[in-house]
Amino acid sequence: MLMTLALAATVVSGAPPHEPMPTLRVQTDRPGARINAAMWGLFFEDINFGADGGLYAELVKNRSFEFPNPLMGWTPLHPAGVEIRQDAPLNDVNSHYVRVTANERPASGLVNEGFRGIGLHGGKAYEFSAWIRAAGGSPVLTVELVSGEGRVLAATRLKNFSPGWKQYFARLRPQQTDFKAQLRIQVQGPGALDLDMVSLFPRDTWKGRRGGLRADLVEMLAAMKPGFLRFPGGCIVEGRYLTNRYDWKTTLGAPETRKLIINRWNNEFRHRPAPDYYQSFGLGFFEYFQLCEDLGAEPMPILNCGMACQFNSGELAPLEELDSYIQDALDLIEFANGPASTRWGSRRAAMGHPAPFCMKLLGIGNEQWGPQYIERYARFARVLKQRHPEIQLISSAGPAPADDRFTFAWNKLRELKADIIDEHCYAAPKWFFDNVHRYDHYDRHGPKVFMGEYAAQSVAIASPDNRNTLECALAEAAYMTGMERNADVVRMASYAPLFGHAEAWQWTPNLIWCDNLRVYGTPNYYVQLLFSRNRGDVVLPLDLFDGNATGATPADRPPRLFASAVLDERSHEVILKVVNPSDQATPARILLAGCAKAGPVVHAHVLRGRSLNEQNSFEDPIRIAPVTQRQRINGPAFETTLPPYSFTVLRVRAR
Ligand code: AHR
């Protein structure tokens, strides 16, 4: 992903005559706080078609006919011969299926439109499957992949169906790439077939798992080397009402036994309706844990704490009914960590993972606030801390980084000696620049901070006009230097949301954009990637004398640079991260104090653009992406130039 560009030694011109050259002095011999190995991670939610229609590689929408309109996503070839039925279904949670009775003419069958079309790569294999029952006669099922223009790209036939439900498989290989293909199934007579869980997956899923995840999307995540994965959200944990909260237990087992529910983002924004957005839970808790393992990321499940979304109904589970929610948490710990001999550990083992997942983090509620939250959190914590002191609990400080809800939550959670408090912030880029020093003054002995959701908003929160601009990315990078400098307090952080489908999003900005066949990382993505891949082990004290730094200059002159420094103990490298949001190339003096030898080469990973408004796109996916440069140096004091509108990570060996 990183492009390499070998440069000759950077020639540093002098600073403009009226401004002193900024100096960054790093105390290499005074290591400070240890940085959590899981510091920079991922926030995942099924928003913007993040799971169904996105990461979960299923290509058929409403495969189970369980949407409230059972034929949503499907178009009968002819109304006669297509019937939704519920008698003798596949199972109780999947109670609808379709009966297709063969006609002489016209043909009987259905077409599935996919998630805004079906994306097919020419020459690649696709796995069709369906649960089928013969309902009279001995019909043949024709399965076709059809292009947007109606051309058959691949076809196969299935026959000899048994009178009981049975799963059938077929492989198709379209010869042509198509972003908007469809799946057409036809029954040729005489006779009829019952069909359910009609499914199509690419053969090449992540790690080749049948019914698995989109490989190109997971590869984007793997490239980041994330420290943790928070799942399954987000407001989706809460639901509009408690009846459609996220219940992890319904997401286990065979896909056809996972009960589908409405996605909370289906009808959240009137300006971005998504009436066809449901949760199939094909990507369920087992798969999330498995993904964490694949990525080397700490699993961080977030559970409902007996509260529906406070932006919606705010429905509360009465305190006397909270035990079942707390039991869900205990059962989840057993599912993740218990031996295969336990009730829930055996469910994990039955799904193919006898070894524990070694979960250490657990979120109690997503974005909750007020006394109702505190009393619910306290009940969870009392039980969980006593039974599982090894699990660090994450609690919520509400939806904003500073308001009455935030202050109330922090005060109460401090009294309760909470482990880690989840702060959320969606704000203008200016907020992030202005708050780079936010954590310098936090109590070193109180709860730790998890900045669990943050993203600079180029226009306003929830505005459909927000864009992933370079300015937003630089604002986040500047803020992240502040988190890194305070790594003793801020233990973890994640940008939110993670994915956006270009044709099906509800929320913007997002870290990674995809469509049915393509994906690209935003400038914000590359900021996250650079921090994560250059995490370091300990913070190094850094003095930034830039003539404009906060506290050093008049208030009307903003700082020119934002920086942090860490040490990679294994490679003996000092890693310096510097943000220059200005339009000026800024020469700077770097002093690695306390070390005798440095270099001889500095590797600089530079993310830069020509203007603050620049963005990446499907057509220009790495317009803003890190480029690696080399600079030769003669010792621990050297000069370098920080390009305009840039974020630079400098790595230099120091002894
Ligand atoms: O990231 C989008 C939403 O923002 C999350 O679901 C929620 O926690 C927050 O309000």
Side-chain angles (χ1 to χ4, degrees):
M1 194 60 69
L2 304 181
M3 292 181 291
T4 301
L5 179 68
L7 285 191
T10 307
V11 180
V12 177
S13 62
H18 52 285
E19 285 185 348
M21 183 189 292
T23 299
L24 292 98
R25 189 179 64 200
V26 183
Q27 292 291 339
T28 65
D29 55 349
R30 285 189 18 223
R34 290 207 75 75
I35 299 164
N36 182 3
M39 174 90 179
W40 308 111
L42 303 173
F43 162 97
F44 181 85
E45 176 166 20
D46 191 4
I47 183 173
N48 305 316
F49 281 34
D52 285 293
L55 191 57
Y56 184 51
E58 174 62 84
L59 296 169
V60 175
K61 187 169 68 185
N62 192 13
R63 64 184 175 186
S64 62
F65 306 96
E66 295 302 318
F67 284 16
N69 168 3
L71 279 178
M72 188 180 249
W74 294 95
T75 307
L77 293 174
H78 189 276
V82 172
E83 186 191 358
I84 294 294
R85 299 177 65 119
Q86 286 188 276
D87 54 308
L90 189 54
N91 59 52
D92 290 347
V93 299
N94 192 346
S95 61
H96 298 81
Y97 63 92
V98 68
R99 173 165 295 176
V100 183
T101 306
N103 297 324
E104 265 311 305
R105 287 175 79 87
S108 301
L110 305 114
V111 174
N112 188 274
E113 66 192 30
F115 296 90
R116 309 295 186 271
I118 292 177
L120 299 175
H121 288 287
K124 295 282 181 194
Y126 289 82
E127 307 282 5
F128 170 86
S129 67
W131 285 84
I132 305 176
R133 175 172 65 187
S138 51
V140 172
L141 180 73
T142 303
V143 181
E144 294 167 316
L145 299 175
V146 184
S147 78
E149 292 79 42
R151 243 163 20 90
V152 176
L153 303 173
T156 190
R157 302 177 94 201
L158 292 166
K159 52 189 176 187
N160 299 331
F161 300 103
S162 64
W165 284 111
K166 193 175 154 205
Q167 197 174 21
Y168 293 81
F169 300 91
R171 181 170 290 184
L172 295 122
R173 197 181 288 275
Q175 286 314 311
Q176 197 184 305
T177 294
D178 200 300
F179 281 76
K180 297 271 183 195
Q182 298 179 325
L183 173 74
R184 184 161 69 199
I185 51 177
Q186 292 180 68
V187 177
Q188 278 112 6
L193 291 177
D194 294 338
L195 296 130
D196 205 349
M197 295 298 284
V198 180
S199 166
L200 184 75
F201 272 88
R203 172 78 191 83
D204 297 336
T205 55
W206 168 250
K207 289 192 179 282
R209 290 190 186 118
R210 186 185 280 276
L213 307 181
R214 237 178 95 167
D216 58 340
L217 301 191
V218 183
E219 276 156 19
M220 292 292 286
L221 306 184
M224 297 172 77
K225 297 190 185 302
F228 65 88
L229 174 68
R230 168 181 159 172
F231 58 88
C235 292
I236 210 164
V237 171
E238 305 158 6
R240 289 185 151 252
Y241 299 94
L242 287 171
T243 44
N244 47 43
R245 72 183 189 275
Y246 196 102
D247 176 359
W248 69 271
K249 287 176 176 168
T250 64
T251 74
L252 306 180
E256 63 276 11
T257 64
R258 305 183 188 184
K259 189 170 170 54
L260 175 135
I261 64 169
I262 191 169
N263 187 303
R264 175 230 183 277
W265 296 102
N266 177 308
N267 46 13
E268 178 66 13
F269 293 131
R270 224 177 286 161
H271 59 276
R272 297 290 304 176
D276 55 345
Y277 202 3
Y278 287 81
Q279 299 181 80
S280 72
F281 299 117
L283 170 52
F285 258 42
F286 178 84
E287 290 78 17
Y288 282 122
F289 278 111
Q290 195 175 42
L291 178 60
C292 291
E293 189 170 78
D294 295 346
L295 297 173
E298 295 286 346
M300 187 199 288
I302 308 290
L303 293 184
N304 188 295
C305 64
M307 301 178 80
C309 183
Q310 290 168 276
F311 289 113
N312 302 145
S313 71
E315 186 189 352
L316 296 170
L319 288 176
E320 50 290 0
E321 286 171 23
L322 211 57
D323 285 356
S324 68
Y325 290 77
I326 297 174
Q327 190 59 46
D328 279 351
L330 291 168
D331 292 343
L332 178 64
I333 296 171
E334 189 174 284
F335 176 76
N337 295 350
S341 53
T342 57
R343 177 171 173 221
W344 288 100
S346 71
R347 292 290 301 273
R348 181 194 68 237
M351 290 185 76
H353 203 286
F357 282 118
C358 302
M359 171 183 112
K360 301 181 199 120
L361 302 162
L362 180 60
I364 307 302
N366 167 46
E367 195 179 63
Q368 327 300 158
W369 65 82
Q372 297 90 344
Y373 173 61
I374 299 299
E375 56 193 354
R376 280 165 180 73
Y377 170 77
R379 289 188 181 219
F380 271 82
R382 204 175 307 135
V383 177
L384 294 175
K385 279 288 153 194
Q386 201 235 326
R387 300 269 299 273
H388 289 286
E390 75 282 7
I391 303 285
Q392 294 265 292
L393 297 183
I394 292 160
S395 47
S396 165
D403 63 5
D404 291 348
R405 297 169 291 192
F406 179 89
T407 310
F408 177 81
W410 254 97
N411 288 340
K412 293 291 180 189
L413 291 167
R414 190 180 292 112
E415 280 169 25
L416 288 168
K417 300 199 186 321
D419 296 325
I420 304 172
I421 300 183
D422 180 9
E423 300 188 348
H424 292 182
C425 179
Y426 299 96
K430 183 174 178 337
W431 185 94
F432 288 90
F433 285 122
D434 289 350
N435 281 275
V436 165
H437 293 275
R438 171 182 174 92
Y439 295 111
D440 295 359
H441 313 294
Y442 263 50
D443 176 6
R444 278 21 225 178
H445 306 289
K448 302 299 179 197
V449 171
F450 165 40
M451 190 77 189
E453 291 184 29
Y454 65 96
Q457 314 285 294
S458 64
V459 178
I461 300 185
S463 166
D465 299 325
N466 285 329
R467 296 287 175 266
N468 285 96
T469 63
L470 179 59
E471 181 184 27
C472 290
L474 295 179
E476 290 148 13
Y479 188 74
M480 290 169 82
T481 64
M483 294 203 267
E484 187 173 83
R485 282 188 296 98
N486 290 283
D488 55 332
V489 167
V490 184
R491 302 300 287 160
M492 288 169 292
S494 45
Y495 182 100
L498 186 56
F499 288 116
H501 188 295
E503 291 180 53
W505 55 271
Q506 295 75 51
W507 181 288
T508 179
N510 301 295
L511 200 62
I512 298 169
W513 287 91
C514 66
D515 62 16
N516 286 344
L517 292 180
R518 299 173 296 180
V519 59
Y520 72 87
T522 59
N524 320 66
Y525 168 83
Y526 289 108
V527 164
Q528 295 290 324
L529 178 144
L530 284 172
F531 267 88
S532 184
R533 292 177 66 133
N534 296 283
R535 175 178 46 80
D537 302 298
V538 289
V539 179
L540 295 175
L542 168 78
D543 295 311
L544 170 55
F545 307 100
D546 82 350
N548 283 0
T550 306
T553 51
D556 60 346
R557 290 177 65 200
R560 276 189 287 167
L561 301 176
F562 302 86
S564 57
V566 298
L567 178 70
D568 182 322
E569 291 175 327
R570 219 153 49 105
S571 65
H572 300 284
E573 283 171 294
V574 171
I575 305 173
L576 196 59
K577 303 188 179 82
V578 194
V579 179
N580 175 16
S582 77
D583 59 357
Q584 299 291 314
T586 305
R589 191 172 292 121
I590 314 285
L591 280 177
L592 303 182
C595 78
K597 279 176 89 177
V601 172
V602 178
H603 289 98
H605 307 295
V606 186
L607 188 76
R608 59 180 297 192
R610 294 213 179 93
S611 93
L612 289 174
N613 286 326
E614 274 192 299
Q615 301 164 44
N616 290 338
S617 63
F618 290 115
E619 292 68 36
D620 204 353
I622 52 169
R623 184 185 185 86
I624 311 284
V627 172
T628 301
Q629 306 174 347
R630 288 155 55 88
Q631 176 184 347
R632 292 199 79 79
I633 58 169
N634 291 324
F638 60 96
E639 293 177 6
T640 196
T641 296
L642 301 157
Y645 310 129
S646 69
F647 169 46
T648 303
V649 178
L650 298 161
R651 293 190 71 117
V652 54
R653 271 171 74 87
R655 295 273 185 186

PDB file of all heavy atoms in Angstrom, residues 186-197:
ATOM      1  N   GLN A 186     -34.852 -20.226 -12.398  1.00  0.00           N
ATOM      2  CA  GLN A 186     -36.071 -20.631 -13.112  1.00  0.00           C
ATOM      3  C   GLN A 186     -36.351 -22.102 -12.863  1.00  0.00           C
ATOM      4  O   GLN A 186     -35.418 -22.912 -12.796  1.00  0.00           O
ATOM      5  CB  GLN A 186     -35.892 -20.441 -14.612  1.00  0.00           C
ATOM      6  CG  GLN A 186     -35.787 -18.990 -15.029  1.00  0.00           C
ATOM      7  CD  GLN A 186     -35.602 -18.874 -16.533  1.00  0.00           C
ATOM      8  OE1 GLN A 186     -36.496 -19.179 -17.299  1.00  0.00           O
ATOM      9  NE2 GLN A 186     -34.424 -18.442 -16.940  1.00  0.00           N
ATOM     10  N   VAL A 187     -37.606 -22.426 -12.729  1.00  0.00           N
ATOM     11  CA  VAL A 187     -38.002 -23.819 -12.534  1.00  0.00           C
ATOM     12  C   VAL A 187     -38.685 -24.287 -13.817  1.00  0.00           C
ATOM     13  O   VAL A 187     -39.659 -23.672 -14.259  1.00  0.00           O
ATOM     14  CB  VAL A 187     -38.944 -23.956 -11.312  1.00  0.00           C
ATOM     15  CG1 VAL A 187     -39.417 -25.400 -11.164  1.00  0.00           C
ATOM     16  CG2 VAL A 187     -38.232 -23.490 -10.044  1.00  0.00           C
ATOM     17  N   GLN A 188     -38.120 -25.351 -14.373  1.00  0.00           N
ATOM     18  CA  GLN A 188     -38.724 -25.929 -15.577  1.00  0.00           C
ATOM     19  C   GLN A 188     -39.361 -27.265 -15.232  1.00  0.00           C
ATOM     20  O   GLN A 188     -38.765 -28.066 -14.505  1.00  0.00           O
ATOM     21  CB  GLN A 188     -37.675 -26.118 -16.675  1.00  0.00           C
ATOM     22  CG  GLN A 188     -37.402 -24.841 -17.449  1.00  0.00           C
ATOM     23  CD  GLN A 188     -36.009 -24.286 -17.190  1.00  0.00           C
ATOM     24  OE1 GLN A 188     -35.213 -24.916 -16.525  1.00  0.00           O
ATOM     25  NE2 GLN A 188     -35.724 -23.099 -17.709  1.00  0.00           N
ATOM     26  N   GLY A 189     -40.527 -27.435 -15.707  1.00  0.00           N
ATOM     27  CA  GLY A 189     -41.410 -28.494 -15.253  1.00  0.00           C
ATOM     28  C   GLY A 189     -41.210 -29.841 -15.875  1.00  0.00           C
ATOM     29  O   GLY A 189     -40.249 -30.048 -16.591  1.00  0.00           O
ATOM     30  N   PRO A 190     -42.119 -30.722 -15.539  1.00  0.00           N
ATOM     31  CA  PRO A 190     -43.300 -30.436 -14.726  1.00  0.00           C
ATOM     32  C   PRO A 190     -42.978 -30.493 -13.230  1.00  0.00           C
ATOM     33  O   PRO A 190     -42.044 -31.179 -12.830  1.00  0.00           O
ATOM     34  CB  PRO A 190     -44.257 -31.578 -15.104  1.00  0.00           C
ATOM     35  CG  PRO A 190     -43.327 -32.715 -15.440  1.00  0.00           C
ATOM     36  CD  PRO A 190     -42.098 -32.102 -16.040  1.00  0.00           C
ATOM     37  N   GLY A 191     -43.772 -29.713 -12.454  1.00  0.00           N
ATOM     38  CA  GLY A 191     -43.626 -29.795 -11.007  1.00  0.00           C
ATOM     39  C   GLY A 191     -43.345 -28.460 -10.357  1.00  0.00           C
ATOM     40  O   GLY A 191     -43.489 -27.392 -10.973  1.00  0.00           O
ATOM     41  N   ALA A 192     -42.936 -28.510  -9.069  1.00  0.00           N
ATOM     42  CA  ALA A 192     -42.703 -27.285  -8.293  1.00  0.00           C
ATOM     43  C   ALA A 192     -41.561 -27.519  -7.313  1.00  0.00           C
ATOM     44  O   ALA A 192     -41.277 -28.655  -6.920  1.00  0.00           O
ATOM     45  CB  ALA A 192     -43.975 -26.900  -7.544  1.00  0.00           C
ATOM     46  N   LEU A 193     -40.933 -26.429  -6.927  1.00  0.00           N
ATOM     47  CA  LEU A 193     -39.844 -26.484  -5.938  1.00  0.00           C
ATOM     48  C   LEU A 193     -40.090 -25.457  -4.849  1.00  0.00           C
ATOM     49  O   LEU A 193     -40.562 -24.347  -5.122  1.00  0.00           O
ATOM     50  CB  LEU A 193     -38.504 -26.161  -6.603  1.00  0.00           C
ATOM     51  CG  LEU A 193     -37.934 -27.174  -7.588  1.00  0.00           C
ATOM     52  CD1 LEU A 193     -36.639 -26.630  -8.181  1.00  0.00           C
ATOM     53  CD2 LEU A 193     -37.681 -28.523  -6.896  1.00  0.00           C
ATOM     54  N   ASP A 194     -39.761 -25.824  -3.611  1.00  0.00           N
ATOM     55  CA  ASP A 194     -39.714 -24.860  -2.516  1.00  0.00           C
ATOM     56  C   ASP A 194     -38.262 -24.438  -2.351  1.00  0.00           C
ATOM     57  O   ASP A 194     -37.361 -25.298  -2.323  1.00  0.00           O
ATOM     58  CB  ASP A 194     -40.216 -25.509  -1.220  1.00  0.00           C
ATOM     59  CG  ASP A 194     -41.689 -25.853  -1.309  1.00  0.00           C
ATOM     60  OD1 ASP A 194     -42.387 -25.240  -2.157  1.00  0.00           O
ATOM     61  OD2 ASP A 194     -42.137 -26.731  -0.545  1.00  0.00           O
ATOM     62  N   LEU A 195     -38.048 -23.146  -2.210  1.00  0.00           N
ATOM     63  CA  LEU A 195     -36.670 -22.631  -2.122  1.00  0.00           C
ATOM     64  C   LEU A 195     -36.538 -21.685  -0.935  1.00  0.00           C
ATOM     65  O   LEU A 195     -37.424 -20.859  -0.690  1.00  0.00           O
ATOM     66  CB  LEU A 195     -36.315 -21.850  -3.392  1.00  0.00           C
ATOM     67  CG  LEU A 195     -36.294 -22.653  -4.679  1.00  0.00           C
ATOM     68  CD1 LEU A 195     -37.092 -21.972  -5.742  1.00  0.00           C
ATOM     69  CD2 LEU A 195     -34.875 -22.853  -5.128  1.00  0.00           C
ATOM     70  N   ASP A 196     -35.421 -21.788  -0.253  1.00  0.00           N
ATOM     71  CA  ASP A 196     -35.119 -20.875   0.850  1.00  0.00           C
ATOM     72  C   ASP A 196     -33.601 -20.694   0.926  1.00  0.00           C
ATOM     73  O   ASP A 196     -32.851 -21.510   0.380  1.00  0.00           O
ATOM     74  CB  ASP A 196     -35.673 -21.448   2.166  1.00  0.00           C
ATOM     75  CG  ASP A 196     -35.944 -20.345   3.188  1.00  0.00           C
ATOM     76  OD1 ASP A 196     -35.504 -19.207   2.947  1.00  0.00           O
ATOM     77  OD2 ASP A 196     -36.575 -20.632   4.215  1.00  0.00           O
ATOM     78  N   MET A 197     -33.168 -19.627   1.599  1.00  0.00           N
ATOM     79  CA  MET A 197     -31.742 -19.323   1.741  1.00  0.00           C
ATOM     80  C   MET A 197     -31.021 -19.430   0.393  1.00  0.00           C
ATOM     81  O   MET A 197     -30.026 -20.137   0.228  1.00  0.00           O
ATOM     82  CB  MET A 197     -31.079 -20.254   2.760  1.00  0.00           C
ATOM     83  CG  MET A 197     -31.595 -20.081   4.168  1.00  0.00           C
ATOM     84  SD  MET A 197     -31.290 -18.418   4.840  1.00  0.00           S
ATOM     85  CE  MET A 197     -29.564 -18.476   5.224  1.00  0.00           C
TER      86      MET A 197
END
